[in-house]
């Protein structure tokens, strides 16, 4: 029975991976088509048409992000996720992640605050993978922050001797914190929040935080959450400092 269940699980994973690959190409084509469509000034389209086109673009991006998460998860579970570690500026990565969603945040009446020390050392990371972690955490923070609320992102150096969260042989880590002013997490959800397919209040695919955990752990760091019921929560993760 165990062998059969394992076989069925592998078949399911293979099926999901194949379907995701099939979806990615047409979604990319739709995104390119939307980006090439002329603006309202040049073609005389109405405000309603322009708004509908924007919705198509936003939903296409959301679907592409979901497909990419499934493909990333498939690679991780197959042991085929490659990491290209190099010296990178976390400040630069954080600023890029925030800049990508600042317009969306402002349209929802939300503010984003950055608390970054200019003297922060570089990190030893796979830049693309850690960018995915940042995007997932910041996107979640925005998703659960009510109008007129705020999201803050900070980064600081932590010494292994003074932090219980640091593990391994690395002596210094950079700790990144993403905080929101949302309703916080239900206490019963905290222990399982990074589990695969675990959704926050039924929202999302339930893969973002799980993938973030796998990426951070592959860097020798850790990821955790501190909850403040009704006043928001803060997600932390660490990566090696150079």
């Amino acid at each position: 029975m165990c062998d059969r269940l394992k076989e069925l699980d592998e078949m399911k994973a293979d099926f999901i991976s194949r379907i995701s690959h099939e979806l990615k190409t047409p979604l990319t084509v739709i995104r390119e088509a939307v980006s090439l469509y002329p603006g309202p000034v040049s073609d005389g389209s109405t405000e309603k048409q322009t708004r509908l086109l924007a919705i198509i673009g936003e939903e296409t991006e959301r679907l592409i992000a979901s497909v990419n998460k499934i493909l990333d998860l498939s690679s991780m579970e197959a042991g085929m996720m490659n990491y290209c570690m190099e010296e990178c500026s976390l400040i630069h990565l954080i600023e890029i992640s925030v800049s990508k969603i600042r317009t969306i945040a402002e349209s929802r009446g939300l503010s984003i605050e950055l608390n970054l020390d200019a003297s922060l050392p570089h990190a030893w990371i796979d830049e693309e993978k850690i960018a995915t972690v940042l995007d997932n955490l910041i996107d979640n923070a925005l998703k659960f922050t009510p109008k007129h609320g705020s999201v803050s992102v900070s980064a600081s150096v932590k010494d292994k001797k003074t932090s219980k969260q640091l593990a391994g042989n690395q002596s210094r880590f950079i700790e990144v914190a993403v905080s929101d002013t949302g309703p916080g997490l239900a206490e019963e959800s905290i222990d399982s929040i990074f589990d695969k397919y675990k959704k926050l209040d039924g929202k999302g695919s339930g893969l973002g935080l799980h993938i973030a955990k796998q990426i951070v752990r592959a860097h020798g760091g850790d990821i955790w959450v501190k909850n403040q019921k009704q006043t928001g929560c803060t997600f932390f993760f660490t990566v090696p400092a150079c």
Side-chain angles (χ1 to χ4, degrees):
M1 184 180 290
C2 289
D3 289 341
R4 179 57 178 161
L5 288 173
K6 182 179 179 181
E7 181 184 354
L8 289 173
D9 191 54
E10 290 175 350
M11 289 173 61
K12 180 184 69 175
D14 183 61
F15 172 75
I16 292 174
S17 179
R18 288 176 182 273
I19 291 297
S20 299
H21 276 290
E22 292 296 325
L23 287 172
K24 191 169 184 178
T25 299
L27 285 171
T28 303
V29 172
I30 293 171
R31 177 172 62 182
E32 291 302 312
V34 170
S35 68
L36 292 173
Y37 190 80
V41 176
S42 60
D43 70 349
S45 59
T46 66
E47 182 181 344
K48 181 179 179 180
Q49 289 172 328
T50 303
R51 188 169 66 252
L52 290 174
L53 192 66
I55 292 173
I56 292 172
E58 290 173 4
E59 292 304 300
T60 300
E61 291 295 340
R62 184 174 67 84
L63 285 171
I64 290 174
S66 295
V67 167
N68 286 336
K69 286 177 182 178
I70 294 172
L71 293 174
D72 284 344
L73 182 62
S74 298
S75 296
M76 289 175 181
E77 293 186 338
M80 297 173 63
M81 179 66 77
N82 296 318
Y83 290 86
C84 181
M85 311 297 274
E86 58 184 345
E87 185 176 335
C88 297
S89 168
L90 258 184
I91 290 179
H92 180 62
L93 275 187
I94 292 170
E95 288 175 342
I96 290 176
S97 289
V98 169
S99 68
K100 288 189 291 187
I101 48 83
R102 188 177 290 280
T103 302
I104 296 174
E106 291 174 350
S107 70
R108 297 178 184 173
L110 308 178
S111 62
I112 302 181
E113 303 171 2
L114 290 178
N115 300 300
L116 306 174
D117 186 350
S119 63
L120 197 73
H122 282 189
W124 186 253
I125 57 175
D126 181 309
E127 186 172 349
E128 182 180 347
K129 303 298 189 303
I130 294 301
T132 297
V133 174
L134 288 167
D135 289 345
N136 285 343
L137 294 182
I138 296 173
D139 181 63
N140 274 340
L142 286 179
K143 194 181 298 180
F144 293 94
T145 301
K147 192 172 183 179
H148 304 307
S150 63
V151 171
S152 64
V153 184
S154 62
S156 58
V157 178
K158 296 293 180 181
D159 193 304
K160 184 177 179 180
K161 296 179 181 178
T162 60
S163 176
K164 296 180 181 179
Q165 293 291 343
L166 303 185
N169 298 322
Q170 182 73 20
S171 60
R172 282 199 316 165
F173 281 76
I174 298 175
E175 180 182 280
V176 179
V178 179
S179 302
D180 63 61
T181 56
L185 297 169
E187 290 299 322
E188 60 270 19
S189 299
I190 294 178
D191 291 338
S192 60
I193 198 65
F194 295 101
D195 291 352
K196 185 168 57 175
Y197 303 124
K198 177 67 177 181
K199 296 185 178 182
L200 299 173
D201 294 338
K203 298 181 181 179
S205 63
L207 292 177
L209 291 177
H210 178 72
I211 289 172
K213 178 180 178 180
Q214 305 308 310
I215 291 174
V216 170
R217 290 286 178 83
H219 281 74
D222 202 359
I223 186 168
W224 68 99
V225 61
K226 288 186 178 179
N227 192 40
Q228 296 170 313
K229 189 65 175 177
Q230 298 182 338
T231 59
C233 60
T234 302
F235 281 86
F236 300 86
F237 74 89
T238 56
V239 290
C242 291

